[in-house]
Every structure is written in structure tokens, then in C-alpha cells.
């Protein structure tokens, strides 16, 4: 007996349409509501960045760095026309001697006895007023007692005093002036070329192979000094190995030795100060300690001990005090059993810790001193002032403090322009390489502000307005750093596409499988019906 396989009864048409409507409704919700909402919530906002301008700045194509130096000649025994003629001849010779074309010297004449209100003022007051607008003032005086021209640069104001014997023709006054003016800015030119080397802003017209000594000095300036910051915090610490001295007149000592330098540096940097005292301060356990020399009757610190002299574990020297980097100045008073304490190699009592601070050893003449007076602290404060100059990057020459601060302003402005330009280039490469990261509007705003400030800094630099250029360059560097390290953007750099797949598949997979399979099944049935009808 043969058994016939029973087939299900044919499905009613109303059931078919009901199933299709339900499936269509599900897909309608997914396509019309779900998919747009998912795209909207998971889309990445990328603000438009001026990539071309950013790359042009990074490649050094936008700004040509120039440093105009204004020099004013004052010839005591010469008329206005003669002084101007000497200025023109000196500028011609100086341009021939000038090694770095980025520096442009503009020499003009000025009557030393001009009939003006300022001419009635004392000479040092006139020089101070004029130095606010000029990089260098050259005062020339005739002196029949000398054989060759002599030049002396004043220590505080940018004034070069020149004595010249017009009866002596062995050395031309024009050539002498050109050499002396060039000598004043020679170190700054060398450092600027060293700073610009191997950067897009490097001057291709200037090829200078530094001697090993000069290069070592330029490298030492770079490694010792702190990175530029608008504000530095200065901490002056007295560490005593015993119980005395237990007090110091630090306020008066700072007013005498440190505040004058800080006031002169105020256009470039701002400073905050605090002080502290710690008794029974022991040496760091990582050093061997001082060794007694019976010949000199001194306790000596060996060179290997200097790098580990600071007892960071017990001495309260926090690097996070204040809004900017902390520069530490340590005055260490050894115990009477290890005094006098000096450096073994040089016999000195102070040294610099690069990008950290300075250390000064104080050996009191009186073993039982209880308080250090301002007079006792005067040598230490002078040493700390020199160390502060080195740590903030103040050039070691020329001897005029005003000219050194002017040179520091140009150097810091240049370094900030280089840093901001490099950051713009790095941000441009990052956004092009990682297309999945977000670019918030705040980043675009910071980039726009950076480019605007860089344009202003470059223009003001070319106009000789160096303090304004420094302020704009400082803002440009801050905005560029803020744009590059935007928290929301940095977080997505470390969130690759594979992580997104791992998140979405467990959520969408269980919903997508039945919808897709049901749709495929209905399409197959629809096709079979069309075949039967045909």
C-alpha cells in the first residue's frame, strides 16, 4: 500500500499580505527611522580646517623672518650732513660684513647737540629715552690722546661710546664702527642661525660652519635653559645641615639682587616667588658625600655627586607650584663639621642643574651664625641672578643688559613661531591620516586664531615691533597646542574601526538576522509564484 505525502493546505491570500505588511513595517521602521537616527548619532563632525595655510606655515612659505636693527649715530663734533654721510657709509660697510641676511641694519644720523627739549636733559636720561625706540645708540667723540679708535658698551642701556682721533688715519672710522656694531650682534646672529638650522625657516643664503667651541656654547644655551613660558615660578630655598642658621633676611636680599633683573625681564616673562627654610637637611643617599682634603683643609664635592646632590626624597622642592615651570634656587649651608664645603675640580661653590635650577653653597665665616643678613646673602643673590639669566635663556653677550633682553625677545619670538608652525603641520598630517577622528569647532577656531596671530607676529617682527611680535607668537603657540591636544580628538586617535565593529555587531546582529532571513524568504516565494503564473 503506497502512502501519499500530505502537503499543507494552500495559504490564504489575506495571511500572505498580513505577513508581508508586518515585514514591510519592520523594514520601514529600520530604514525610515532607525538607519537615519543611527547615522546621525554615530556620524563624526569634522570642521573644515585651512589645511593649505597650515601646511604653508609648516613649510616656511608664508613668513620670511627678518630682524631690522635700528642704529642711531651721534657725532659730537660733526654737523647733521656729515653725521648722515657717516651713517650711510657705515651701513654700506656693515651690510657687506653682515653674515646673516635675516638681520637688516638701518643706521641713521642724529645730532648730539640738537636744539630740542630732550637735548636739555642729562645725557644718560636722553640715552634711556632714545633707547626705547632704537636698538643701539652710538655716541662718537673725538679724542686726540688716543692712537686707535676705542669702543665701550654701557652695561645697562644700549649705548656704544666710541672715542676717535681724527688725526690718526691708520684705521678708518667707518670700518671701525661697522666692525663694532657687527660684534655687538655676532652672538645673537650665531644663535639665531643655530636655532633655524634644519628648519623650513633656515636661511639658505647663509652657510656657517661653527667651530667646536662655538657650537658647544650654543648647544649649552639650548640644553640649560627652560622652554619658554610666559610665567615662571621662582622658589628660593635655604637648606641647613644643622639647626643654624634658622632664619634669613630673604626679602631684602631679593629686593637688592633679584628684583632688578626680574623687572628688566618683565616684558618677556612674568615671575612669581616663594621662599622656604628646612633644617637638618641631609645629603641625598645616592651620592658618596664630601671628602676631606687635608692639603687645602676643605671638604670637597666630587663632580659625579653634583647631579645627585639634590635630595628629592626629603627636600620639599615641588615642581608643580605656580602656574608655570618652577625654577629652584637652593642655598645650602653645611654643618660646621663639614665646612668649608667646595667643589673638588674648581674650588667653586655654585653650579647649575639644567632646566631645573641652581645650587649655591654658603660657608659662614661665623660657625654659630643664627640668622643670615641681607649683606651675607648678597653674593648668593648675585650668583642666583646669573643662574636665572642662564635658565631663562638670556644671551651671555653683549655686555649691555638691554641689548641682551632685546636679543632674547627676538630669539623667543622666533622659537614660538617655529613651534606653532610645526604644530600646525603635525595637526594637518594627523587629520589627513586619521579620517575617522572628529574635528570640533573649537579646533577650527584655535587654528584660525593661530594663523591670524602668526601673521601678526611675522608682520610685527618685520616692522621691528618685537614685544608685540612676542605677544602674538605666544598666543599662537598656546592656541596651536590647544588645538592639537583637544581632549575629544585625542581620545578618538586611540579608538580604531575594529573597536566599533566589536561594539555594533552584538547589538545589531540579533535584530538584523531574522529581518534579513525573512526578507530573503519572502523574495524567494514571490519569485516562485511569478514562475508558476508564467
Amino acid at each position: 500500500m503506497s502512502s501519499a505525502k500530505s502537503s499543507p493546505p494552500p495559504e490564504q491570500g489575506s495571511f500572505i499580505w498580513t505577513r508581508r505588511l508586518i515585514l514591510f513595517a519592520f523594514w520601514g521602521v529600520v530604514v525610515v527611522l532607525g538607519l537615519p537616527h543611527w547615522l546621525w548619532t554615530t556620524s563624526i563632525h569634522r570642521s573644515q580646517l585651512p589645511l593649505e595655510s597650515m601646511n604653508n606655515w609648516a613649510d616656511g612659505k608664508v613668513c620670511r623672518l627678518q630682524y631690522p636693527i635700528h642704529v642711531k649715530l651721534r657725532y659730537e663734533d660733526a654737523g647733521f650732513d656729515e653725521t648722515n654721510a657717516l651713517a650711510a657709509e657705515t651701513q654700506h660697510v656693515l651690510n657687506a660684513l653682515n653674515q646673516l641676511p635675516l638681520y637688516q641694519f638701518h643706521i641713521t644720523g642724529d645730532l648730539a647737540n640738537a636744539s630740542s627739549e630732550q637735548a636739555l636733559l642729562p645725557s644718560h636720561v636722553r640715552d634711556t629715552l632714545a633707547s626705547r625706540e632704537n636698538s643701539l645708540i652710538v655716541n662718537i667723540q673725538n679724542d686726540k690722546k688716543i692712537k686707535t679708535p676705542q669702543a665701550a658698551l654701557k652695561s645697562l642701556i644700549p649705548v656704544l661710546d666710541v672715542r676717535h682721533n681724527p688725526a690718526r688715519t691708520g684705521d678708518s672710522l667707518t670700518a671701525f664702527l661697522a666692525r663694532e656694531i657687527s660684534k655687538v650682534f655676532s652672538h645673537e646672529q650665531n644663535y639665531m642661525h643655530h636655532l633655524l638650522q634644519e628648519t623650513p625657516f633656515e636661511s639658505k643664503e647663509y652657510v656657517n660652519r661653527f667651530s667646536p667651541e662655538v657650537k658647544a656654547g650654543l648647544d649649552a644655551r639650548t640644553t640649560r635653559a627652560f622652554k619658554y613660558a610666559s610665567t615662571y615660578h621662582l622658589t628660593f630655598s635655604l637648606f641647613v645641615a644643622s639647626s643654624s642658621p634658622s632664619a634669613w633676611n630673604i626679602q631684602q636680599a631679593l629686593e637688592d639682587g633679584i628684583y632688578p633683573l626680574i623687572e628688566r625681564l618683565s616684558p618677556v616673562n612674568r615671575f612669581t616667588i616663594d621662599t622656604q627654610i628646612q633644617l637638618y637637611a641631609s645629603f641625598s643617599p645616592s651620592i658618596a658625600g664630601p671628602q676631606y682634603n687635608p692639603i687645602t683643609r676643605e671638604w670637597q664635592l666630587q663632580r659625579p655627586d653634583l647631579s645627585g646632590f639634590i635630595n628629592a626624597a626629603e627636600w620639599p622642592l615641588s615642581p608643580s607650584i605656580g602656574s608655570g615651570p618652577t625654577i629652584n634656587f637652593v642655598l645650602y649651608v653645611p654643618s660646621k663639621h663639614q665646612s668649608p664645603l667646595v667643589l673638588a675640580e674648581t674650588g667653586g661653590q655654585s653650579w647649575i642643574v639644567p632646566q631645573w635650577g641652581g645650587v649655591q653653597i654658603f660657608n659662614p665665616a661665623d660657625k654659630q651664625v643664627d640668622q643670615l643678613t641681607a649683606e651675607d646673602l648678597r653674593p648668593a643673590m648675585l650668583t642666583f641672578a646669573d643662574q636665572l639669566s642662564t635658565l631663562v635663556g638670556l644671551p651671555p653677550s653683549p655686555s649691555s643688559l638691554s641689548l641682551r633682553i632685546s636679543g632674547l625677545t627676538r630669539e623667543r619670538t622666533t622659537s614660538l613661531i617655529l613651534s606653532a608652525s610645526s604644530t600646525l603641520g603635525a595637526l594637518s598630517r594627523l587629520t589627513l591620516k586619521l579620517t575617522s577622528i572628529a574635528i570640533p569647532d573649537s579646533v577650527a577656531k584655535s587654528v584660525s586664531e593661530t594663523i591670524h596671530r602668526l601673521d601678526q607676529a611675522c608682520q610685527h617682527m618685520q616692522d621691528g615691533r618685537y614685544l608685540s611680535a612676542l605677544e602674538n607668537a605666544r598666543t599662537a603657540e598656546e592656541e596651536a597646542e590647544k588645538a592639537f591636544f583637544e581632549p575629544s580628538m585625542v581620545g578618538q586617535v586611540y579608538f580604531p574601526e575594529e573597536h566599533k565593529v566589536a561594539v555594533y555587531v552584538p547589538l545589531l546582529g540579533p535584530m538584523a538576522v531574522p529581518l534579513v532571513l525573512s526578507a530573503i524568504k519572502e523574495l524567494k516565494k514571490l519569485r516562485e509564484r511569478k514562475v508558476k503564473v508564467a
Side-chain angles (χ1 to χ4, degrees), residues 379-398:
M381 291 299 110
L382 294 177
T383 300
F384 286 152
D386 290 338
Q387 292 175 342
L388 176 60
S389 300
T390 301
L391 291 169
V392 299
L394 194 65
S397 64

Side-chain angles (χ1 to χ4, degrees), residues 234-279:
L234 309 183
T235 298
F236 292 86
S237 307
L238 174 63
F239 291 99
V240 185
S242 58
S243 60
S244 63
S246 58
W248 58 341
N249 190 1
I250 185 61
Q251 183 61 36
Q252 185 62 43
L254 291 175
E255 291 178 1
D256 296 339
I258 301 298
Y259 286 170
L261 176 61
I262 289 178
E263 183 179 357
R264 299 299 297 270
L265 288 172
S266 59
V268 183
N269 302 106
R270 292 184 292 271
F271 298 91
T272 58
I273 298 178
D274 74 342
T275 63
Q276 61 179 346
I277 300 177
Q278 177 168 313
L279 305 180

